Amino acid sequence: MAASLDDELELDNQDYYSLLNVRKEATQDELKASYRRLCMLYHPDKHRDPELKSQAEQLFNQVHQAYEVLSDPQSRAIYDIFGKKGLEVEGWEIVERKRTPVEIREEYERLQREREERRLQQRTNPKGTISVGVDATDLFDRYDEDFEEMPGGGFPHIEINRMHISQSIEAPLTNSDTAMLSGSLSTHNGNGGGNINMTVRRVTSAKGWGELEFGAGDILGPLFGMKVFRNLTPRCFLTAQCGMQFSPRGVRPSCSLMTARHLDQNTMGYLQWRWGPHSSMTTSVVRDTKTSHFTLALQLGVPHSYLMMSYQYKFQDEDQTKVKGSIKTGWFGTVVEYGAERKISRHSVLAATVSVGVPQGVTLKIRLARANQTYLFPVHLTDQLLPSAVFYATVGPLLVYMAIHRLVIIPYTCSQKQQNLELQRKSSEVDMVKKKQEAESAVLLMQESVRRIIEGEESKMGLIILNAWYGKFVTDNSVRQERAQVIDVTVPLQCLVKDSKLILTEASKAGLPGFYDPCVGEDKSLKLLYQFRGVMHQVLSADTEALRIPKQCKYTTTTQPLYNHYSTLTTTIS
């Protein structure tokens, strides 16, 4: 049953809260007041014209249905969770009528957990990495006298000298047991090897888990290992791991122990001890905030000891751009790295890093991550510290990215966005025509009420809506071919004025009486010109932003007085 809920549940476009213009936390009194107001507007007995009477009856039934649902605690709880579809079938199938809203929500959460468990059973969560190493040292380390003696020596020799492919999948066995299968293949300068591993993990409690690992390879031989994780306190955890590698040279035991502690809300401290072929003691501090990531690590061991520090700055932009730099020094020498990372599509992230070290030389590392797949391209440029190699490794990828971003990525993302909008518009075309007809009918039914409201507001110099538009507006900086897609909502907004106040809740305004969505999938806003106390004002509000005019201090929507009515109108619609 839970699966059917997930597969068949489709929410209706109509929002009952928006239709009644009430908050989602509205009380019974607020619901009743809004319902009575709309009933007086749409009651069929108020209209003699047969066509208007029929339209009024249709809108009156919609308002009545919305009030019936939201005024009943059980129906309202189901509607909040499932929407209108839940009220028709699924909602009453899963709950008893006598249950409270809290019990209904608890039942829904239980069904959600069962759905997630079923999804888990079907998910393999594949992950993979492909690394292709390129030797391009001939670009900078070539010797002219050698190339003069070789045929075609004028062209630098660039080759792929190493490759590595790894893949892993997960297979949930039970709610607490998971099996993982992974394998890898590597080749370097003509020599290669591979291995395969199988891991079984069991979650013993909310505080810990354990896993067993079995592996085999063509070089090192069979492997048996065990790993345990445990939360010691809410701020501290421990990980212990041991293994036995059976190689032609004998059995190689290994062991590691790591403990970590939250030093504050954004800082973690780690202490790790390893014993085996590469014994070491490592301590590190990691601080991760919304705008930065900092790591400081010190390792003492055989054969390598080092000190490492890295810093990453996170830009708060749509592309999630990050710039990073690090320095690492030890017995092996010193390496300085710097680079950048940026999101290029919804599921893809591109990163480039330049590594400059002694005696490693200069290497450019390019990484493309798409979903759970990672592609690495380390390009070794030179074994020496050449300024020309550092310059081209830094500027070259930047210029290539800018060209690709402008010529390929931007046109592609714009094309994809436009295609998605077109599909969305086609799928909602029939519904949009229906909503437009209902909005036009509602405006006709509001005319008499609006006339009385305006007369009352004029008598006390109250709130008069002079002009109001809803939809997508075009500014002077927009593309010339783009056209504004707006509808006139002056009458519907004036109809909502009460006691010289207009209050709109935090919901899409497309669901208000007399409104409809003129541009499905586009960002919309509401722009209106109103008069209050004899002074004209203009206000611009986002689609889902709460609005109250005249402005009060606790509302953030900006309004400004206008003394030239016609100059304002010329800037509203292109």
Side-chain angles (χ1 to χ4, degrees), residues 530-549:
Y530 68 93
Q531 180 177 294
F532 183 71
R533 297 290 186 261
V535 180
M536 284 187 291
H537 300 262
Q538 178 182 266
V539 62
L540 180 66
S541 174
D543 185 25
T544 57
E545 182 182 4
L547 173 66
R548 177 168 182 166
I549 55 175

Side-chain angles (χ1 to χ4, degrees), residues 37-54:
R37 179 180 174 85
L38 292 174
C39 282
M40 293 177 61
L41 180 65
Y42 296 137
H43 202 286
D45 295 341
K46 296 183 61 178
H47 305 277
R48 296 181 180 179
D49 184 271
E51 185 176 352
L52 290 178
K53 190 179 184 70
S54 175

